[in-house]
Each structure stands twice: as structure tokens, then as C-alpha cells.
Amino acid sequence: MGVVNVTPDSFSDGGRWFDVAAAVERGAALLDEGADLLDVGGESTRPGAARVPVEEELARVLPVVEQLVARGAVVSVDTTRAVVAAQAVDRGAVLVNDVSGGMADPDMASVVAGTGAAYVAMHWRGHADVMDAHDTYDDVVADVRRELAERVATLRAAGVRDEQVVLDPGLGFAKTGESNWPLLAHLPELVADGYPVLVGASRKRFLGHLMAGPDGTPAPPAARDDATAAVTALAAAAGAWAVRVHEVAASAAAVRVAARWRDAQVGTAGGAAVHVRTEHATTAHATTGAAQEGAR
């Protein structure tokens, strides 16, 4: 999943793709690098970010979604607002990537149920301006799995089908540093819960701290791409459905390595190989029916 930020204040690119034409060309470049899916977002969720008016988010996102779909891209919309999700799906988006898991907008679940779009429910405990205060866990892996299960129950009650749902452990959201690593290390447990899993580690703060210089200064976002690709390889080998990344080429290569690694492991054991999709997808959401239908 390649990231297309249509924002002036993204932590990762500082607004390089804020213009609609620039965002569309950025999406096309990510496809050329090997992205199967483009995630278009019009509101920054970096730590401390303020919300933008819904009208502004719509103006940023909808033209980019429409133009990328017209170019044949499989598109998701990164939003916590039901009205943005509904209008983006109406313009051809096949997946709603909601970092709040439906908690930010009570109408989101009904929109997802009504449209039939695939839906990423991320682990979330509050908006960007307050989320760091919620980095308190008894057992981060158990707590995140439990809270995601609660979100799934709420979605089901609203009529969302299980095959529409993708889960995301929410790296960096209410997880400022060390609490991210156990979630990655125990990713197979989340995969085993039965839903496709999206991993969004790209350029996050905890990678900046890992790659800090001798004086302890965290590596800047653009210097975290090598570490991101390493996480991609490990996440793919652990069974993740997709990784959400700002730079695609290295992560696409990492996915191919992980696929061969897993095939060789399973082949040695005499079982059936598990293949990770790396080609350009006509139906990128290979494991849920909703986006397969939407992409046809």
C-alpha cells in the first residue's frame, strides 16, 4: 500500500504532494515502483496534529481519488470521517482506511456496511493531539488484540461483514516507543485471529529512535526507509496482508524476499506454499470479497 498524502503538514514529506496534480503523479510513480494499492489521505495524523474542516478534507481527497481511479489504480481512502469515506467510495475507492477503527465517527460503521467497501479498523485510543497520553498498557499485545476484537464486535453489530474487515495494530498511535516492538514480534498472533492484517510502520518515530545518531538525535523521516523495508520483510514473513509505506520499491523487493523465504520453509516441511501477492493487483484486496467486487 503506497501512501499518497494530500496534506501540507505530513510528518513524512512536509506537503510535497499537496497539489492535486502532484499527488496524482506521486500515486502513478508509486504504482510504477510496485504498489498494489494507493492510500489517499487529506488529514495528517502525526502526533499533535490539529483536525481540518471536513470541507477541506473532501476538497483535498476526492479529486485525487477520482483521477487515480481513472488511471486504473486500486485506491483506498485514509479518513476517520464517514462522509469522506462515502464520497470517496462513490468515486471509486474500494477500501476505507480508518485509523480510529470507527471510534471517531459513529456513522462510519453504517457507511461501511452500506457501501460494502473493505475496511481497515486500526487500534486507536484518541486523536493525534492527545494520543501520546494513552500509551499505557498492562500487556500491549493482549490489550491491542482485545480492543480490536471489541471494534470488530461493534462493526458486526452495525452490519459490517467479516470479509470486509482488515485489522491494523496501530503502530505509533498511542504507542510512542517501546510498545511498538512487542506488537511486531507477536504479529503472527494477530494474524492468527483470522483477519487480514495491515502493518503501518513506515517512517514512524520508533524507527527514528532506533536509527538515532551518536548524539541520540532521532533519524529524520526520510532516513528511516531502510528500517521500514526491514520491517516489511519481517511483517510479510509473519503473514501480514499488506504494509503501508511511503517509498515502495524497497518494500516491494522485501515482500518478494519474504515470499520466497516462506515458500522455501513450507516446501521443506512438505506443505503447501503460502504466496504473497507482489504483482500489480486488479483486485488488490486478495483476501476479502469487498474490495474484489469494488475493483472489478
Side-chain angles (χ1 to χ4, degrees), residues 145 167 186-197 238-241 262:
R145 290 175 71 190
L167 299 182
H186 292 270
L187 194 60
E189 295 177 24
L190 185 56
V191 171
D193 287 337
Y195 294 91
V197 174
W241 163 71
R262 290 188 63 173

Side-chain angles (χ1 to χ4, degrees), residues 77-162:
V77 60
D78 179 0
T79 186
T80 62
R81 288 173 164 140
V83 65
V84 177
Q87 293 193 37
V89 171
D90 187 56
R91 284 161 175 78
V94 299
L95 185 148
V96 178
N97 183 15
D98 180 359
V99 300
S100 80
M103 296 176 71
D105 188 334
D107 294 327
M108 181 64 85
S110 62
V111 164
V112 172
T115 62
Y119 180 69
V120 177
M122 196 192 79
H123 178 264
W124 187 84
R125 287 183 166 184
H127 285 290
D129 57 342
V130 298
M131 65 181 179
D132 283 356
H134 297 286
D135 184 11
T136 304
Y137 301 90
D138 293 324
D139 178 327
V140 66
V141 177
D143 292 350
V144 167
R145 290 175 71 190
R146 184 187 69 254
E147 291 171 29
L148 283 174
E150 291 168 357
R151 299 313 308 150
V152 170
T154 299
L155 292 167
R156 283 175 176 165
V160 178
R161 304 185 312 278
D162 280 359

Side-chain angles (χ1 to χ4, degrees), residues 185-232:
H186 292 270
L187 194 60
E189 295 177 24
L190 185 56
V191 171
D193 287 337
Y195 294 91
V197 174
L198 173 66
V199 174
S202 184
R203 295 183 173 178
K204 293 286 177 71
R205 288 178 292 175
F206 73 102
L207 296 181
H209 289 294
L210 177 69
M211 306 306 293
D215 64 352
T217 301
R224 304 170 191 173
D225 289 332
D226 290 347
T228 296
V231 172
T232 290

